[in-house]
């Protein structure tokens, strides 16, 4: 048993022991506790007939979520929740290189085609993520792509993948997380394989290739760590704005900035969240003629109290405060959470709680029941200025 499994088992033991200590619950009934949290009245309200997609649409905003094909195909309760709550769907993985282009001469669109079909059958729009990133690259890219063939490889990939879905896409995250000021380049760019292979113009090239393959899709630059009043978020915002200015000055076909918005990692959101500073950044981006999309919104609860009602309310408060600032900006056109239900979230592994308790980071709980976070989002859509 490797160290990671030992830690996981210990965390789970601590969690179940903690619950058992709460009221003499056995470990088994304690484990069931988190599956019937709504039975304890821990959700903010009885299930409502309203939905996130309806309340957002009333203000001209698209709300949606990321999903994994395997989960929607095998979990009817989860799939129904997406159909009810979402008007925009983005594959969490299925359009990345390691999923859709597993070998140099082979593409695999089975999962992404399925997700497109799911979105269409639920009257959702569909967005692609992502065409150029330094992660999720299959082994063959590192083994076979050189400075001599990189432009052809990238051109073939974008023409094939974007071309397949041309006319059916709301938007594409064309380039993902290409800025990292802490790496010290004067242009703030991250040292990625694509930068090494193609030089700084790889970003412009990717956008022009995507526009040629699908003139109808909104083309997005997507990045993280721009939400908080902290030095490395300040530096990121400055560097991203300069990149956007350079691209616009060269008439590159870019239409929007994607703000990933993975919140709560900056361990004290209360102190580090500055709505005025965020609003100014959004206004600066909008002044370039760009739309703004929140693309991967979620809230890690790993530093928050164990007790469910307090934890849920704190998560809801973070959603509320963030969306209140974001939705004030008329250029913001869509809000996408990185998952919909705590049943499936990358945070279960990436930001697991030390006490082993299941994370509670998304609008719906593990039973796909509405949580205070859902209510907070609905309220912010209701209060948002119409687009
Ligand atoms: O399901 C497949 C399985 O069929 C296959 O055999 C296996 C082979 O590796 O991969 C499995 O897919 C995994 C996929 O998640 C499932 O959704 C991949 O291994 C795994 O690498 C992938 O991780 C994703 C990660 O990006 C890397 O692509 C996470 O789910 C996803 O939440 C995360 O999302 C990123 C955004 O794209 C960019 N912003 C940050 C965000 C969080 O890291």
């Amino acid at each position: 048993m490797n160290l990671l499994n030992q830690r996981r088992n210990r965390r789970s033991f601590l969690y179940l022991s903690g619950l058992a200590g709460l009221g003499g619950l056995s470990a088994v009934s304690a484990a069931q506790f988190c599956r019937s949290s709504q039975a304890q009245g821990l959700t903010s309200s009885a299930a409502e007939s309203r939905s996130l997609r309806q309340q957002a649409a009333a203000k001209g905003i698209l709300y949606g979520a990321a999903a994994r094909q395997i989960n929607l195909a095998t979990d009817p309760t989860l799939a129904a929740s997406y159909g009810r709550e979402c008007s925009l769907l983005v594959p969490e993985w299925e359009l990345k290189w390691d999923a859709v282009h597993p070998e140099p001469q082979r593409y695999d669109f089975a999962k992404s085609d399925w997700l497109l079909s799911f979105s269409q059958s639920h009257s959702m729009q569909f967005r692609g993520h992502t065409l150029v990133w330094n992660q999720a690259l299959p082994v063959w890219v590192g083994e076979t792509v050189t400075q001599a063939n990189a432009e052809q490889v990238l051109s073939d990939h974008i023409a094939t993948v974007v071309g397949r879905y041309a006319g059916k896409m709301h938007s594409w995250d064309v380039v993902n997380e290409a800025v990292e000021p802490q790496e010290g380049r004067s242009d703030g760019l991250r040292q990625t394989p694509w930068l090494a292979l193609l030089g700084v113009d790889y970003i412009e090239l990717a956008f022009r290739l995507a526009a040629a393959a699908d003139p109808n899709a909104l083309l997005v630059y997507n990045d993280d760590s721009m939400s908080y009043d902290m030095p490395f978020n300040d530096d990121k915002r400055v560097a991203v704005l300069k990149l956007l200015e350079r691209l616009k000055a060269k008439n590159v076909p870019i239409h929007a900035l994607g703000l990933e918005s993975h919140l709560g990692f900056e361990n004290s959101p209360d102190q580090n969240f500055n709505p005025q500073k965020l609003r100014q950044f959004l206004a600066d981006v909008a002044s370039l003629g760009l739309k703004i999309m929140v693309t991967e919104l979620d809230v890690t609860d790993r530093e928050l109290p164990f007790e469910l009602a307090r934890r849920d309310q704190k998560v809801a408060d973070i959603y509320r405060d963030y969306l209140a600032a974001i939705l004030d900006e008329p250029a913001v056109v869509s809000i996408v959470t990185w998952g919909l239900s705590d049943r499936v979230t990358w945070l279960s592994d990436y930001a697991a709680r030390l006490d082993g308790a299941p994370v509670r980071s998304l609008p719906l709980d593990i039973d796909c029941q509405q949580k205070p976070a859902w209510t907070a989002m609905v309220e912010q859509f209701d209060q948002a200025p119409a687009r």
Side-chain angles (χ1 to χ4, degrees):
M1 179 182 292
N2 67 29
L3 180 59
L4 182 57
N5 284 344
Q6 286 170 349
R7 280 177 56 197
R8 277 194 180 132
N9 287 1
R10 173 165 167 68
R11 283 203 306 259
S12 300
F13 173 77
L14 287 175
Y15 167 61
L16 293 178
S17 305
L19 279 177
L22 280 179
L25 295 170
S26 69
V28 173
S29 58
Q32 290 159 354
F33 175 82
C34 68
R35 292 200 63 79
S36 60
S37 54
Q38 76 277 14
Q40 276 73 19
L42 293 176
T43 49
S44 60
S45 63
E48 287 197 30
S49 59
R50 297 187 298 172
S51 70
L52 290 165
R53 72 183 285 176
Q54 287 171 337
Q55 301 318 114
K59 296 299 178 68
I61 301 162
L62 278 175
Y63 167 75
R68 302 173 187 176
Q69 184 271 342
I70 186 67
N71 300 121
L72 294 184
T74 58
D75 186 337
T77 302
L78 186 69
S81 297
Y82 274 79
R84 182 182 69 250
E85 300 286 354
C86 299
S87 55
L88 184 60
L89 185 72
V90 58
E92 184 169 353
W93 171 66
E94 293 76 1
L95 277 171
K96 292 172 181 172
W97 279 65
D98 56 346
V100 79
H101 196 174
E103 295 163 22
Q105 303 307 321
R106 182 170 73 88
Y107 291 88
D108 181 354
F109 293 110
K111 293 185 172 66
S112 49
D113 285 357
W114 191 97
L115 286 167
L116 171 64
S117 174
F118 181 90
S119 71
Q120 292 172 331
S121 61
H122 291 84
S123 305
M124 298 172 180
Q125 297 196 54
F126 194 55
R127 73 180 313 264
H129 173 83
T130 178
L131 297 172
V132 179
W133 190 24
N134 62 304
Q135 298 183 43
L137 292 173
V139 170
W140 68 263
V141 170
E143 290 176 343
T144 67
V145 180
T146 65
Q147 288 183 332
N149 68 10
E151 182 166 344
Q152 189 60 58
V153 170
L154 183 61
S155 301
D156 290 348
H157 180 87
I158 292 177
T160 304
V161 177
V162 176
R164 183 181 186 84
Y165 300 112
K168 301 172 183 173
M169 302 299 285
H170 169 268
S171 54
W172 272 103
D173 287 336
V174 176
V175 176
N176 197 53
E177 301 174 8
V179 170
E180 181 42 85
Q182 293 182 328
E183 291 188 7
R185 283 179 56 97
S186 59
D187 56 13
L189 292 184
R190 185 188 303 272
Q191 304 278 9
T192 73
W194 297 112
L195 178 68
L197 289 164
L198 291 165
V200 296
D201 292 339
Y202 84 94
I203 297 173
E204 174 182 350
L205 172 64
F207 277 93
R208 295 194 187 283
L209 290 169
D214 186 354
N216 299 308
L218 286 176
L219 303 181
V220 184
Y221 172 73
N222 191 54
D223 214 327
D224 61 10
S225 304
M226 293 182 275
S227 305
Y228 285 104
D229 185 5
M230 302 175 78
F232 77 97
N233 278 221
D234 288 337
D235 295 344
K236 186 71 166 275
R237 285 189 290 266
V238 168
V240 166
L241 196 59
K242 285 181 177 174
L243 170 64
L244 298 176
E245 288 167 350
R246 291 197 300 271
L247 294 172
K248 291 295 287 182
K250 297 176 77 175
N251 294 317
V252 170
I254 177 172
H255 309 114
L257 170 65
L259 295 175
E260 291 187 18
S261 308
H262 293 293
L263 305 180
F265 282 103
E266 286 67 21
N267 44 39
S268 54
D270 299 342
Q271 288 75 25
N272 298 321
F273 182 59
N274 182 333
Q276 288 68 36
K277 182 172 275 192
L278 179 58
R279 283 190 178 96
Q280 182 57 58
F281 173 66
L282 300 179
D284 293 343
V285 172
S287 70
L288 296 175
L290 295 173
K291 299 181 187 298
I292 296 164
M293 303 167 71
V294 170
T295 52
E296 303 181 16
L297 178 61
D298 53 22
V299 176
T300 179
D301 66 352
R302 63 181 177 177
E303 310 287 341
L304 298 183
F306 164 82
E307 197 270 323
L308 294 191
R310 281 177 59 211
R311 185 158 28 125
D312 281 356
Q313 190 53 55
K314 186 60 191 168
V315 168
D317 292 348
I318 294 170
Y319 275 108
R320 180 198 63 217
D321 295 345
Y322 189 74
L323 288 177
I326 287 283
L327 293 172
D328 260 357
E329 171 50 61
V332 173
V333 297
S334 59
I335 303 291
V336 168
T337 48
W338 205 238
L340 178 63
S341 158
D342 296 330
R343 189 176 290 191
V344 181
T345 169
W346 71 293
L347 293 172
S348 295
D349 290 321
Y350 188 84
R353 289 177 56 90
L354 293 179
D355 58 17
V359 302
R360 294 176 66 89
S361 299
L362 290 165
L364 305 184
D365 71 11
I366 53 174
D367 296 318
C368 296
Q369 299 299 307
Q370 298 158 356
K371 287 162 55 187
W374 181 94
T375 304
M377 293 181 70
V378 162
E379 288 171 351
Q380 289 311 312
F381 287 139
D382 290 347
Q383 294 167 25
R387 269 73 182 143

